Amino acid sequence: MKDLNSDHLVIDLGANRGRVSECLALRGAKVISFEPNEEAFARLLKISENYQNIYARNEAAGTKNQLARLYLHSETADSDVDLTQASSLL
């Protein structure tokens, strides 16, 4: 990461809350962040608003242009703990 600069493009798949995207943006790289989980995306969007080089997308990325089901952790609705990182398309 130390060699990243504004000439680099990084794609953050499953960006979640945007912590890695933010670290990459701080290095100057242009970052395209994909996050399909709406709760996590809302936090990612707040971070991206502070950087002109983070482009947040509320969608998944894959090899096919199709809809897919996002599976959430079974305790998501009943937990005070952030379980967004346990979301999966598989």
Side-chain angles (χ1 to χ4, degrees), residues 21-33:
S21 293
E22 183 174 30
C23 289
L24 296 165
L26 284 169
R27 294 286 184 182
K30 177 180 176 182
V31 183
I32 303 173
S33 305

Side-chain angles (χ1 to χ4, degrees), residues 25-79:
L26 284 169
R27 294 286 184 182
K30 177 180 176 182
V31 183
I32 303 173
S33 305
F34 290 86
E35 178 50 54
N37 182 299
E38 290 183 16
E39 182 180 339
F41 180 75
R43 294 176 182 164
L44 167 62
L45 195 56
K46 284 186 179 182
I47 286 176
S48 72
E49 289 170 353
N50 296 317
Y51 298 90
Q52 293 182 345
N53 53 332
I54 296 179
Y55 304 89
R57 306 285 306 251
N58 187 206
E59 57 192 343
T63 59
K64 296 180 182 177
N65 186 14
Q66 65 184 28
L67 293 177
R69 174 180 230 149
L70 179 65
Y71 295 92
L72 304 179
H73 189 282
S74 62
E75 297 177 12
T76 296
D78 300 324
S79 179

